[in-house]
Amino acid sequence: MPFDKHFVDKSMRVDLILAGDALAQSAYIIDIKKEPHWGGSHTALIDTFNYGEYRFLIINKNSGDTLYTRGFCTLFEEWRTTEEANSSKRAFYHSVTFPYPKANISFVLQSREKDGSFIELYSSLINPKNANIKVVKDSPYEVIPVINNGDSEHMLDLTFIAEGYRKDEMKKFKANVEQQARYLLSQSPFKEAKDKINVWAICSPSIDNGPSEPEKKNWSQTAVSSAFNTFYVDRYLETYDVKSIRDIACAAPYDHIVVLVNSDRYGGGGIYNHFSIGTSDHALSKKVLIHEIGHGLFGLADEYYTSDVAYQDFFNLKIEPWQPNVTTLVDFESKWLKLLPQDYPIPTPTDNKYKDTTGVFEGGGYVAKGVYRPAYNCRMKSNEAKGFCEVCEQSGLKMINFLTK
Ligand SMILES: [Zn+2]
Ligand SMILES: [Zn+2]
């Protein structure tokens, strides 16, 4: 399907409200924009991964052909698994982008059911020539090409935006992005793909230095309003201000947005095909950020199960989860079975002789029982791990190859 027949080389951005509680949800469009760059591939238009708690489809109104699809996750669906969602309703801002269509399309939004299947949550006809679609021509922010390996169409564009850096701290921001990028490209699977990666830094200034720390009654006025203590978990650094993130990010082409927060505190967050967020100056910041990018870009699950989280029953043990690096053994063949030698014990006993092998270790995805992970240790499990495990590495490389097709 030729890109040029259906799309122009710009982005259509659809901003949504997702609202509801633990039991029910609905979606509403708030705004549609035409943005100046399309950072994605011109050939990898149909998502082949089937990751995410949601997905959207762009369907040509006349022919009925599906032109573009993407799976994604949201902070909203995480919140829906917290205690709070049993007794209150909330609304979350979300935003998706796709190449700008030439003709009328149906925008279809689907959400994943408990059994793993998708149902329609929202659909709407969009005329790309509608006079009320806001055209964003330019951005007020300075954009620094930190690593430039070529045309965004064939590159994985990682776009960092400055959060909690005052105007006079942009030199520090640039240095922090350079440090993060250098580390990232020294680690698998980024190392293996390093000639396919661009890194951009967008100098979005904040009034205050550092993010908000609600539990310390410390509120900062910053570019994208990030804060620790999300869902009452200290280290969970997130922001609900998705509009500002996207308004800033459109200054550069991007495949993935990384919000870099000027702070020496431990924490971060990463949501698949949404954005990743981490701090600049904690001793473990680089490791935390690559873990978050594991969620945000590669769709990986947490392999840990001993730390405090706000979620309840995050994984349905009766189905195979969509995340590539955890299994419930319901359909293990669809996961990393092919990486195991014949007669390898499933699940893997906790025996030292298996410690350094790819296996099926019980515990992962926030629970000690019923969810299995591929390695004794992995970057998705802890900061002590050497790096990503074999399964995470391979899944990540597959995603990078797809996005740079
Ligand atoms: Zn995580
Ligand atoms: Zn792993």
Side-chain angles (χ1 to χ4, degrees):
M1 187 171 40
F3 183 90
D4 297 337
K5 189 178 165 203
H6 298 288
F7 300 109
V8 292
D9 201 11
K10 310 241 179 257
S11 294
M12 180 173 274
R13 171 177 142 197
V14 176
D15 286 8
L16 304 150
I17 285 287
L18 294 165
D21 55 19
L23 291 176
Q25 61 174 329
S26 41
Y28 314 86
I29 284 189
I30 307 171
D31 202 6
I32 304 175
K33 286 180 177 172
K34 183 178 192 176
E35 295 187 332
H37 305 283
W38 171 245
S41 164
H42 285 201
T43 51
L45 302 174
I46 303 297
D47 186 345
T48 52
F49 289 89
N50 197 32
Y51 295 169
E53 293 298 326
Y54 298 83
R55 70 179 176 200
F56 69 91
L57 295 84
I58 303 304
I59 297 165
N60 182 290
K61 191 69 188 72
N62 281 335
S63 66
D65 291 340
T66 301
L67 305 180
Y68 187 90
T69 65
R70 276 299 178 270
F72 65 93
C73 289
T74 68
L75 194 56
F76 175 59
E77 114 252 337
E78 288 188 11
W79 174 78
R80 294 186 71 211
T81 71
T82 67
E83 170 85 58
E84 205 174 68
N86 294 323
S87 55
S88 60
K89 291 180 194 291
R90 274 183 75 172
F92 285 64
Y93 204 99
H94 198 86
S95 182
V96 297
T97 57
F98 46 92
Y100 203 90
K102 286 185 170 171
N104 288 357
I105 53 153
S106 296
F107 173 83
V108 179
L109 179 67
Q110 300 175 333
S111 63
R112 212 185 271 273
E113 293 280 84
K114 264 261 172 248
D115 69 359
S117 65
F118 282 101
I119 54 155
E120 185 172 310
L121 191 58
Y122 178 93
S123 80
S124 165
L125 178 73
I126 299 176
N127 172 2
K129 297 183 180 81
N130 185 318
N132 286 330
I133 294 178
K134 287 178 197 143
V135 179
V136 182
K137 283 195 185 122
D138 227 341
S139 146
Y141 307 110
E142 187 195 353
V143 179
I144 302 166
V146 177
I147 294 172
N148 188 350
N149 275 312
D151 208 339
S152 289
E153 181 189 334
H154 305 288
M155 295 292 141
L156 171 72
D157 292 89
L158 296 174
T159 297
F160 285 72
I161 67 181
E163 163 68 351
Y165 293 82
R166 289 186 313 252
K167 228 183 202 154
D168 58 350
E169 292 179 300
M170 286 306 156
K171 243 196 188 139
K172 177 176 187 290
F173 170 61
K174 194 185 163 216
N176 289 156
V177 175
E178 281 168 353
Q179 286 156 10
Q180 289 285 358
R182 211 173 304 132
Y183 177 75
L184 209 65
L185 297 191
S186 74
Q187 302 293 303
S188 294
F190 297 98
K191 189 164 73 179
E192 289 74 15
K194 69 166 184 263
D195 54 344
K196 290 189 194 169
I197 298 174
N198 286 342
V199 175
W200 306 87
I202 306 179
C203 302
S204 39
S206 295
I207 291 169
D208 293 324
N209 167 291
S212 292
E213 300 176 297
E215 77 288 18
K216 296 182 187 170
K217 300 192 173 22
N218 172 18
W219 292 99
S220 283
Q221 237 182 306
T222 57
V224 303
S225 306
S226 67
F228 282 97
N229 213 39
T230 304
F231 307 152
Y232 308 99
V233 176
D234 278 7
R235 65 178 193 286
Y236 199 10
L237 172 65
E238 266 295 341
T239 167
Y240 304 104
D241 189 5
V242 175
K243 181 178 184 299
S244 296
I245 289 182
R246 294 283 184 160
D247 284 346
I248 293 166
C250 78
Y254 60 84
D255 289 287
H256 190 61
I257 301 168
V258 182
V259 179
L260 192 60
V261 182
N262 190 16
S263 166
D264 60 6
R265 208 173 135 176
Y266 180 82
I271 296 176
Y272 177 59
N273 266 347
H274 188 32
F275 59 84
S276 301
I277 179 167
T279 61
S280 55
D281 293 297
H282 187 273
L284 293 169
S285 279
K286 294 190 188 88
K287 289 178 176 174
V288 172
L289 193 66
I290 199 170
H291 168 104
E292 304 306 353
I293 292 174
H295 292 303
L297 179 61
F298 299 152
L300 301 174
D302 278 315
E303 292 180 26
Y304 61 78
Y305 53 95
T306 49
S307 310
D308 234 15
V309 291
Y311 318 124
Q312 306 169 323
D313 303 327
F314 200 81
F315 290 99
N316 176 2
L317 302 184
K318 294 195 182 77
I319 61 160
E320 187 62 37
W322 55 262
Q323 291 87 343
N325 63 326
V326 287
T327 179
T328 48
L329 296 178
V330 170
D331 179 20
F332 183 51
E333 268 167 65
S334 69
K335 293 293 173 66
W336 61 92
L337 176 67
K338 54 192 173 298
L339 294 180
L340 305 183
Q342 230 157 35
D343 305 324
Y344 189 94
I346 300 170
T348 312
T350 37
D351 181 326
N352 257 345
K353 76 172 176 187
Y354 298 112
K355 214 177 157 190
D356 295 318
T357 65
T358 295
V360 194
F361 299 89
E362 189 157 33
Y366 320 119
V367 291
K369 293 264 163 231
V371 176
Y372 301 80
R373 65 189 195 279
Y376 198 78
N377 209 349
C378 168
R379 181 62 66 240
M380 296 314 290
K381 181 164 182 286
S382 86
N383 293 309
E384 282 81 55
K386 283 193 203 98
F388 286 119
C389 70
E390 186 185 13
V391 170
C392 289
E393 241 175 66
Q394 288 195 4
S395 311
L397 199 57
K398 213 170 132 194
M399 183 61 75
I400 296 174
N401 288 336
F402 175 76
L403 295 172
T404 56
K405 236 178 17 189

